[in-house]
Amino acid sequence: MKKQEQPQAEERILAAKDLVIDSIAETMDLYGITRSAGILYGTMYLHEEMTLDEMREELQMSKPSMSTGVKKLQDMNIVKKTFHRGRRKHSFVAEKDFFKFFVNFFPQKWDREVEVNLASIEEAQKRLHDVAHDDQAEEAVREEAEQLYEQLESSKAYYDWLKRLAQSVHSGEIFEYIPIDRKEK
């Protein structure tokens, strides 16, 4: 009877792993990472380390697709290439500490949001300033330009806050205000 129970137990473990991998992939998809890269990360998260060949075998993905996904995950600093003397193939290890993942991932996204939007706001404000001070423009058009200029000016407070939030996460200062609660089980 024990032999019949063994495959059932292994299937339940695989089903549990699939649930975790799927939820990680779905979550990463919410943050702009492709679902396939999320599945790749989730799979690597549940292993100590994997080569590209092991990933390909486990996920039935093409090697170029996996290589691209791994490179993207490396660029986000959530997957590292490992070196083993005497081995030709590189292995990769996923960041298993979600707090480190958070610190590596989100500040990059927030910094990019700040950079892109502030550059657009600055350019838009230059154009609006020109319209607001154009004596040839109708009064209503100048007023609309001024109103929009001020609206954009007030949005800069958000981007300043987001930049400081990103800095506090990257430096770890955020954890002084919202400490990590690592309860032992």
Side-chain angles (χ1 to χ4, degrees):
M1 208 182 267
K2 198 163 192 161
K3 285 189 178 189
Q4 284 180 336
E5 290 175 15
Q6 190 65 24
Q8 232 180 7
E10 288 174 2
E11 287 173 16
R12 290 194 316 241
I13 290 172
L14 284 174
K17 286 181 176 182
D18 287 347
L19 280 171
V20 172
I21 291 167
D22 189 55
S23 68
I24 287 172
E26 186 174 331
T27 302
M28 290 180 79
D29 184 54
L30 291 172
Y31 296 111
I33 307 303
T34 64
R35 186 162 178 76
S36 62
I39 290 170
L40 186 56
Y41 173 79
T43 301
M44 290 177 14
Y45 173 77
L46 295 175
H47 287 80
E48 284 303 309
E49 63 183 344
M50 297 180 83
T51 64
L52 287 176
D53 288 337
E54 290 168 334
M55 290 177 224
R56 187 183 65 215
E57 187 176 314
E58 176 118 0
L59 297 172
Q60 301 299 305
M61 290 171 67
S62 70
K63 199 167 184 176
S65 176
M66 274 187 318
S67 186
T68 301
V70 168
K71 176 72 173 126
K72 184 170 183 93
L73 296 170
Q74 283 180 288
D75 290 345
M76 291 184 293
N77 208 22
I78 57 176
V79 166
K80 303 258 189 263
K81 186 187 289 191
T82 59
F83 170 77
H84 295 286
R85 189 175 304 281
R87 281 197 204 165
R88 284 188 10 206
K89 295 181 181 181
H90 292 285
S91 294
F92 298 89
V93 177
E95 179 58 65
K96 298 196 184 338
D97 183 333
F98 284 124
F99 292 104
K100 287 182 183 175
F101 180 114
F102 180 84
V103 166
N104 290 335
F105 181 77
F106 286 100
Q108 283 182 346
K109 296 287 187 186
W110 296 332
D111 286 338
R112 179 75 177 133
E113 178 183 350
V114 168
E115 178 186 321
V116 167
N117 286 297
L118 282 180
S120 294
I121 287 170
E122 292 296 325
E123 182 60 34
Q125 282 186 313
K126 286 177 191 174
R127 295 175 186 190
L128 292 167
H129 179 270
D130 291 346
V131 172
H133 293 89
D134 182 356
D135 292 336
Q136 303 294 320
E138 293 179 23
E139 180 67 25
V141 173
R142 288 197 315 261
E143 286 177 9
E144 181 182 0
E146 286 179 29
Q147 184 271 331
L148 186 52
Y149 183 97
E150 290 305 319
Q151 182 178 340
L152 293 174
E153 187 64 29
S154 68
S155 72
K156 289 179 181 179
Y158 166 74
Y159 295 110
D160 176 62
W161 175 84
L162 188 58
K163 186 174 185 170
R164 290 182 290 126
L165 176 62
Q167 289 168 343
S168 74
V169 170
H170 190 64
S171 71
E173 179 186 359
I174 189 78
F175 299 116
E176 294 173 21
Y177 301 102
I178 307 172
I180 298 169
D181 186 10
R182 294 190 193 254
K183 294 186 172 135
E184 297 296 319
K185 290 191 177 193

